[in-house]
Amino acid sequence: MSALTESVSLEKRGDIALVIVDNPPVNALSHHVRQGILDGINAAVADDDVKAIVLTCRGRTFIAGADISEFGKPPQGPGLDVVQAAMENSSKPVITGIHGTSLGGGFEVAMCAHYRVSVPTAQFGFPEVKLGLLPGAGGTQRLPRVTGAAKALEMVAKGDPISAQEALDLGLIDDIVDDHEAGAVAFAERAVAEAMPLKRLRDLRDKVEADRADPGLFDDFRASIARKTRGFKAPEYNVQCIEAAVNLDDFDAGIAKERELFQELMRGTQSAAQRYYFFAERQAAKVPDVPRDTPQLDINSCGVLGAGTMGGGIAMNFANVGIPVTIVERDQASLDRGMSVIRGNYERSAARGSMPAEEVEKRLSLITPSLDRGDFAERDIVIEAVFEDLDLKKEVFEDLDRICKPDALLASNTSALDVNAIAAATTRPESVIGMHFFSPANVMKLLEVVRGDKTSDQIIATTMSLSKQINKIPVLVGVCHGFVGNRMLFMRGIEANKIILEGATPAQVDKVIYDFGFPMGPFAMSDLAGLDIGWKEETSTSSTVRELLCESGRRGQKNGRGYYTYDPQTRASTPDPEVEQMIRDFGAKQGIEQREVSDQEVLERCLLPMVNEGAKILDEGIAIRASDIDVVWINGYGWPVYTGGPMFWADTLGIDVVVDKINAYHQDLGGDHWAPADLWAKLVADGSPLHTAASG
Ligand code: 3HC
Ligand code: NAI
């Protein structure tokens, strides 16, 4: 075996040459990989003893794509197109042997082999759209020539992978083998023995010609993804590339179109934001002061206290991955109600086809309802999800301390309370941690893991791994009111509530926030959550718009009347002139002058206090890194990923601009939430961006 570059080697087995890539962790197409493959193919073609060439990878996967960390940097080594041309135009058959994930540029390389074989567990796909990109190395032109446009559109514009079996059925691979390397070598020997033709996917025409007869195909597909891809640029560009593959006769003209659109996306802010997010999410899982090899607890059973909105969803997360759960309530009626909501959720998922019907009973059988907290005695983890009341939570934790085994992990799902105070109610504060799930807890990906002052490394490490096991994206945060997400949300709430007294309507504010890319604005969100959360008639003093709405019987979506009125059948919302008048009267009573408020002002006043608060959160060390804050907001609150999250977005505006605006609003409007964070002075002095800032 001879090394061609630091990551690629060439080996001969009889008359078969193997070009072997070994570039951990995922065999990305770094410049030395491209160079190595090119050299390997050329050497094998030049060697008269070689009859066929196998390209394969060591480690956990086939090539998982271009090296994203090279994007935006000066190019090095040969372009991928040169490597692909060497493979596709080779005079000897090239076979790829695939295991793990063949993604993006990795799949595009494989498509330039004459034949492809894979192990049954391999996955194939084009996730570029999730990075704000499109397959830029011929994927959009070769794929529809094999699968037809309909499947190609699905694959490139949605970005989800397919299985080896589906790839075989579609003709994307030629065989499924037990071992990717031995199987590819055996296929190569057959190709030589049977003098198989050198198949080039670029030469196929039947499928795209047939698709040309159905021009409506593309607009139907566009309509089908419109809602989910609102605001994103890349899905539409992916569609245009497949359209080009179908409509342009010439393969190279299609490639030119693909390159032009790829480069435009690559230069744009959306892809920069989405690529940043890719690394941010992976970074968030790392805790600098907790060593990677910290011993962890084995979590094989779970207890959940409270079967309300959150407890039920939390229990489902564990049952979904096969961990048995005991769920305890204070009375039978609440327990029955909670269990029936869980059953309803599972049945709806099965009816929608998102899980097999037989899974409903299987998962339910993993959830044991109980009225006895004593049943938590042997549970490895217990998560409390009772009402948001500190005294109640302290009482609960005192009790859990008595009941649970000494090495149990004790977690609270509080959304804002002091985890240190909760931990102090036990004799083992080192075992206590916050696990702040987001509603609906069985759906939302974010988990804020709240570390108390005394939480042990073992409990932190275990909770971070467990969060991944239950398919959440964990972000470690410190204790403060509202942690990272809700603390910043409160700031947006302050300004949104003020600005409607100055002349903006709830509908205007919501539209500005929706158009920015959020799923909904703050008032629609309040209506959805219920206006009466935390409201009590006896103590209500007509001192806020929300209190006024509750006092007049408006509870939000649940009774069809809140900031908006809701159609009982469709749940469609309409702005309500009565509410708008109520708000104007309330503002006038407080002597607030009404004026026309611009959309730009609405946007700045809603989002900049959040950015400022994020900077304070870093000042205080509540979040480890600025990018963690972005991960929280993208996954917990629907901040549009194509702007990168609040911290990255601030950088795209320019830190100087952001700081000037915060100072100006502070002067005009006052309020602690506008008082500039200390971090600004440092960033401005260093000329450094916000999104790479770390606490401390
Ligand atoms: N480039 C550079 N680094 C990459 C990478 C890539 N394409 N893919 C993964 N990595 C890094 C991750 O950042 C991580 O680094 P870390 O350990 O320092 O945090 C490490 O590899 C392991 O990644 P994961 O934690 O994600 O490992 P998993 O086993 O959970 O997942 C995976 C593996 C499914 C391959 C996942 O990493 C993934 O989805 N990667 C991205 C795949 C992708 O988007 N490919 C397309 C790239 S764009 C392209 O190819 C353009 C082309 O069309 C021209
Ligand atoms: P909920 O009112 O829907 O459910 C609370 C449940 O706890 C009720 O079913 C109640 O009967 C039960 N309960 C109360 N006292 C109990 C006791 N002593 N023993 C056993 N069960 C008891 O409330 P929700 O929304 O589920 O909130 C629970 C916790 O989750 C709160 O701390 C809340 O702040 C937090 N949270 C809520 C979110 C939301 O969007 N609803 C989001 C994230 C966190």
Side-chain angles (χ1 to χ4, degrees), residues 25-26 28 60-61 64-69 71 80 101 103-106 108 127-128 131 133-137 262 278-279 282-283 286 292 468:
V26 297
R60 66 200 227 211
T61 178
D67 185 341
I68 308 167
S69 64
F71 290 174
L80 196 50
T101 43
L103 300 176
E108 289 172 303
E128 283 89 340
L131 299 169
L133 292 171
L134 52 87
F262 178 81
F278 176 85
F279 290 112
R282 281 155 182 81
Q283 192 71 6
K286 298 176 182 133
R292 277 182 101 129
K468 286 196 149 182

Side-chain angles (χ1 to χ4, degrees), residues 305-311 328-330 334 337 373 385-388 392-393 413-415 436-437 439:
L305 186 66
T309 309
M310 296 306 288
V328 174
E329 257 291 348
R330 53 183 178 158
S334 308
R337 199 185 49 232
R373 288 184 200 175
V386 301
F387 304 132
E388 187 78 336
L392 173 62
K393 300 219 190 244
N413 180 48
T414 176
S415 44
H436 180 208
F437 289 83
S439 182

